[in-house]
Amino acid sequence: MSSVRPLFVVAGVGNGAGTGASAARLFAQKGYKVALISRGQESLNKLAEELSQHGGEAAGFPVQDYSPNSIRAAFAAIRSHFSPSSSPLRVALFNAGHGVWKPFLEITDEELHNSLDINVAAAFAFSREVITDFLKLEFEDPSEGGQGGVRKRGTLLFTGATASIRGNVTTSAFAAGKHGLRGLSQSLAKEFGKKNIHVAHSIIDGVILTDRTRTRVNNPEWETNVDGRLDSNSIAKAYLDLVRQDSSAWTWEIDLRPAHEKW
């Protein structure tokens, strides 16, 4: 067996119940080493320990915030922990986000800055670190055990939202940030596809079942209705499908919603 195994990096795993954590679990199951970037060291340690107990190799890299300096520091720590020679970065997911749902005239300067700082500036810094590492790599070798294929250097994924493509009465700050993220991802896809780097953006059009939404919705019927809400494990499977696409047919953008979602 090769001593080289691919690395999966995800920014934004929350309390371990959402999309980022589900993606980390799935890619760990597929043989990837996993680097977790998020705020909240306790949740990171808990998820990393869970992945390790199930045969994976994972480590958490907590950040105080999602400023560019914090992102750069996290990647420096990742490169120190996971040697690029034996753990080449092949898949990265930017899943962090900041939502503001308020009437336009009630939104503060700080709330607007937070939306733009996390949804755009942090994504920009994350992408710069990821693409810099991708460009140092040759095409993926099957002996690594990854899922990307022989004509790909790496895959960079972004989690978007309905607000990525349309605004609404209380989403002016959130939509501004998510539109920026979508524009960034499209620009990177066009610029670096020529280098065999796959960039993809996912529009999450619906409510994901998590601990937080379970409490907020407070409706057992909604929880059990698989046609009425998104499952983070299914989103993770869609992300893996993107990674598996070969270079003759790449997707830049997908939209994911439950069957009964109004759209």
Side-chain angles (χ1 to χ4, degrees):
M1 178 180 290
S2 172
S3 60
V4 178
R5 286 173 56 202
L7 177 66
F8 171 76
V9 176
V10 53
V13 298
N15 68 352
T19 300
S22 288
R25 293 184 182 100
L26 181 58
F27 278 88
Q29 291 169 11
K30 297 301 178 181
Y32 286 77
K33 299 177 184 179
V34 177
L36 308 164
I37 301 173
S38 197
R39 292 175 291 192
Q41 187 161 0
E42 183 177 349
S43 295
L44 279 181
N45 291 343
K46 183 178 179 180
L47 181 56
E49 183 179 351
E50 174 195 328
L51 297 178
S52 299
Q53 288 177 346
H54 287 84
E57 184 176 347
F61 300 88
V63 291
Q64 183 176 357
D65 52 39
Y66 282 109
S67 67
N69 284 338
S70 293
I71 295 291
R72 286 190 283 268
F75 270 90
I78 289 170
R79 295 183 187 107
S80 177
H81 185 90
F82 293 108
S83 171
S85 61
S86 59
S87 311
L89 174 57
R90 293 298 186 184
V91 183
L93 168 61
F94 186 80
N95 186 66
H98 181 79
V100 180
W101 292 272
K102 293 174 66 175
F104 173 71
L105 295 178
E106 296 180 12
I107 295 172
T108 66
D109 291 345
E110 182 180 6
E111 288 169 332
L112 174 61
H113 283 301
N114 285 338
S115 180
L116 297 176
D117 285 349
I118 294 178
N119 293 313
V120 181
F124 197 101
F126 182 87
S127 302
R128 187 187 293 274
E129 296 297 314
V130 169
I131 290 174
T132 296
D133 280 3
F134 283 169
L135 289 173
K136 296 175 182 177
L137 299 174
E138 300 297 329
F139 293 157
E140 186 170 327
D141 192 307
S143 67
E144 296 175 13
Q147 304 285 314
V150 296
R151 297 294 301 169
K152 185 180 285 192
R153 284 189 167 85
T155 305
L156 172 57
L157 304 169
F158 296 92
T159 299
T162 310
S164 301
I165 54 173
R166 67 175 185 264
N168 212 324
V169 292
T170 60
T171 65
S172 54
F174 184 46
K178 285 299 185 180
H179 272 68
L181 178 69
R182 182 175 187 253
L184 170 65
S185 72
Q186 187 178 59
S187 298
L188 296 179
K190 292 183 176 183
E191 182 174 355
F192 293 101
K194 300 170 185 177
K195 300 289 187 181
N196 289 68
I197 293 171
H198 186 186
V199 179
H201 176 258
S202 177
I203 298 168
I204 306 300
D205 186 23
V207 180
I208 304 170
L209 177 61
T210 64
D211 293 343
R212 183 179 300 175
T213 59
R214 183 181 286 109
T215 300
R216 188 177 77 225
V217 176
N218 192 26
N219 184 341
E221 184 178 347
W222 174 80
E223 290 182 32
T224 58
N225 180 13
V226 296
D227 293 330
R229 82 300 189 275
L230 284 152
D231 185 323
S232 61
N233 294 318
S234 297
I235 295 172
K237 291 175 184 176
Y239 287 173
L240 179 61
D241 288 341
L242 289 170
V243 171
R244 286 172 167 166
Q245 289 182 343
D246 70 71
S247 60
S248 72
W250 278 359
T251 296
W252 162 59
E253 185 168 74
I254 59 173
D255 53 351
L256 301 173
R257 64 181 62 84
H260 294 179
E261 181 73 19
K262 183 180 179 180
W263 62 293

